[in-house]
Amino acid sequence: AAAAACVLLISFAAFAGARLLIDPIAPAIALLLGAFSVAGGRSLGVVLKDDAVRGAFQGALPEPTMKRLREESAVEILQGAHREITVLACELRLLDEDLEKLTGAPGEVANLIASASTALRKSIIDIGGAADQADGGKVFAYFNAPGPLADHARAACAGALRLVESMDKINAELALSPRLRDVQIHLAIGIATGECFVGPMGHGRSNRYSAVGPAVDLAAFLRRQAEFYGPAIICDDSVHREVHHHFAFLEVEKMRPRDGAPPFSIYALVGNPFIKSSKGYRALEEAHRALLTAYRAGDWAAARTHLARVRQSPGARIALFDIYEERIRQLAEEGAPENWDGVLAATI
């Protein structure tokens, strides 16, 4: 546009000074059209880029974030950041005997896991988390990213309980299928809080909003423990400290990392605030705490007594108490190792 104006001025000066007539219309129009073409191309490029960003993260980010992307083109909210987040790691799997039943129908296995993963991601988005599909039936959820969420640990725990409810509904629907009525999808969940790097990680259609940091590794480790101790939702010390006054927890294990770091406890999230306030939970939690105290002190007789009390609760029907029963039996027969303190060595 500036160049077109210069052409007009030069043409006027040539005619006024030297009576030389130069037609400026054609070059001025060409320059103006070029300017508009460049501006329009850039604007179209921005629109296409914004649309690609929205499309890439549709079904992965919470609705408030997607609304800002749609209405404000606020792509800057997807820039990388380093912040404290709560990571929820979950995995869908079928038991070996169920996989054997479906050996002749591999497509049904793939469809089962795919549809259940889609349901999990939708539930995560509905409760304000960012969903990240990993390999197989593994899904990660991030709370306090991309947008801020003040009580992100509490949101993650409430979300985990909702995911369990969603999976119960899916299994109830499977029970109505003539071919799949005996098949159950199992869900294991681990929750951890910590500083992580978050942001889009990938290009084009493979782009995904993801996180990197110790909390992601710890959440994945806790998810594996949920498969062992559960069915359960396993949380780390940080999550328990943040929300133990809101939800019902049971201490599962005290672990000592093999790298020499201090021991830490892991906890099973067993219920919402209504469960926490119930007499049944309070009796279970009291007996379980006494069981752990006797177990770590090496008092096997007292540990058996408290375990019998724990077994009387409906909430005791998880693998955790079978594990402690077998440990107490072996330790009573073979004796405890030297310097016994009940802490389990673990590699994260």
Side-chain angles (χ1 to χ4, degrees), residues 31 63 99 109 118 133 145 171 182 211 240 258 260 320 324 342:
L31 287 168
E63 183 54 31
L99 288 173
V109 176
T118 300
Q133 179 76 50
N171 283 324
D182 296 325
H240 178 259
R258 297 184 188 274
L320 170 67
Y324 273 100

Side-chain angles (χ1 to χ4, degrees), residues 51 128 164:
D51 187 65
V164 171

